[in-house]
């Protein structure tokens, strides 16, 4: 029987990660928990985020997941150690996965307030590119507006312009969408940056790590090749 892949997020954001997992590993059954009772996570305290992660991951473990993919950057930034301890199975992170494949020294990160304040992206990118400039911008308005469902509303457009401004000023050439809700804003964000700016979805790098992991656990059907993470320049 195939390993059950567990994922969780505060709401619909993690579905952007689930979509990548299902596209690349269609044979893998997935269990996705959307914690809509407590969305948003990104304006909560670190203590809250860690307590929630412990509870949710414990529940996923009880359901028998064989591997956990972090589908929430905020939990990844503040509570990866908690998730690892509670999961009892391999955990694939978003932040380390994407940091390992970034090949730019002028990187912007759009993230929730908790993720941005944690400095997790800066640390992870500096671990592989010590000289890189990493500018993390907190985007508190995004998740509530995305969850409200109107991706073309004027408030989202105005908020995006505000959040992107410091990154334009810093002349970054690579922008990490450091919250799993934000890939839903890709078209809107892409219009605000100069052509050639790379908009990076960390889920792609995480999914690149999931394949070899499933294979090492004996869980890729014959003929299915693990997708290896492509370098992101
Ligand atoms: N989508 C999540 C993340 O990647 C959580 C966002 C939130 O609930 O604030 O951080």
């Amino acid at each position: 029987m195939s390993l059950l892949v567990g994922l969780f997020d505060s709401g619909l954001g993690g579905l952007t990660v689930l979509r990548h997992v299902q596209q690349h590993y269609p044979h893998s059954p997935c269990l996705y928990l959307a914690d809509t009772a407590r969305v948003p996570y990104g304006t909560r305290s670190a203590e809250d985020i860690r307590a929630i992660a412990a509870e949710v991951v414990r529940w996923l473990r009880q359901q028998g997941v064989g591997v956990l993919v972090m589908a929430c950057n905020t939990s990844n930034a503040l509570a990866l150690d908690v998730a690892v301890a509670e999961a009892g199975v391999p955990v694939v992170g978003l932040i380390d996965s994407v940091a390992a494949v970034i090949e730019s020294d002028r990187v912007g990160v759009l993230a929730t307030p908790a993720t941005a304040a944690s400095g997790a992206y800066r640390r992870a990118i500096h671990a592989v590119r010590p000289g890189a400039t990493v500018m993390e911008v907190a985007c508190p308005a995004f998740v509530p507006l995305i969850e409200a469902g109107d991706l073309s509303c004027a408030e989202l457009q105005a908020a995006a312009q505000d959040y992107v401004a410091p990154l334009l000023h810093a002349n970054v050439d690579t922008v990490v969408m450091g919250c799993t809700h934000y890939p839903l804003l890709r078209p809107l964000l892409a219009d605000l940056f100069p052509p050639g700016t790379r908009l990076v979805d960390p889920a792609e790098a995480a999914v690149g790590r999931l394949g070899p992991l499933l294979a090492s656990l004996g869980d890729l059907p014959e003929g299915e090749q693990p997708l290896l993470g492509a370098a992101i320049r």
Side-chain angles (χ1 to χ4, degrees):
M1 217 179 94
S2 292
L3 283 181
L4 182 60
V5 179
L7 309 96
F8 75 97
D9 182 40
S10 60
L12 50 78
L15 294 174
T16 64
V17 182
L18 178 65
R19 184 177 53 191
H20 285 292
V21 172
Q22 291 187 319
Q23 271 170 0
H24 292 292
Y25 309 110
H27 78 286
S28 296
C30 296
L31 177 61
Y32 178 73
L33 186 141
D35 189 5
T36 51
R38 293 180 285 200
V39 67
Y41 284 177
T43 44
R44 291 177 178 274
S45 67
E47 195 186 358
D48 258 17
I49 292 162
R50 291 173 66 80
I52 291 170
E55 187 187 318
V56 169
V57 175
R58 205 173 304 137
W59 183 83
L60 287 169
R61 182 181 189 167
Q62 285 161 5
Q63 312 315 307
V65 302
V67 56
L68 179 71
V69 177
M70 298 302 285
C72 171
N73 288 270
T74 306
S75 308
N76 193 151
L78 280 302
L80 182 63
D81 58 327
V82 172
V84 168
E86 292 290 343
V89 295
V91 177
V92 178
L94 294 163
I95 298 175
D96 282 356
S97 296
V98 74
V101 296
I102 281 183
E103 290 186 0
S104 162
D105 285 328
R106 294 201 319 277
V107 183
V109 180
L110 298 169
T112 66
T115 300
S118 77
Y121 266 100
R122 190 167 10 92
R123 279 194 303 280
I125 294 169
H126 280 164
V128 283
R129 302 185 73 81
T133 298
V134 181
M135 180 178 276
E136 295 159 293
V137 178
C139 311
F142 274 170
V143 168
L145 287 169
I146 293 168
E147 289 282 336
D150 181 1
L151 297 184
S152 53
C153 70
E155 290 98 317
L156 259 178
Q157 185 75 43
Q161 273 166 357
D162 275 359
Y163 300 149
V164 158
L167 300 183
L168 291 174
H169 189 67
N171 203 23
V172 300
D173 61 16
T174 298
V175 178
V176 178
M177 294 182 283
C179 166
T180 55
H181 282 73
Y182 302 173
L184 296 168
L185 301 180
R186 187 188 273 275
L188 188 162
L189 293 172
D191 276 352
L192 298 175
F193 288 105
T197 308
R198 284 175 186 261
L199 268 183
V200 178
D201 177 354
E204 291 173 17
V207 163
R209 284 193 168 175
L210 179 61
L213 178 61
L214 290 175
S216 74
L217 298 169
D219 197 46
L220 273 187
E222 214 157 299
E224 189 164 333
Q225 295 298 319
L227 175 86
L228 297 171
I232 294 165
R233 293 188 177 78

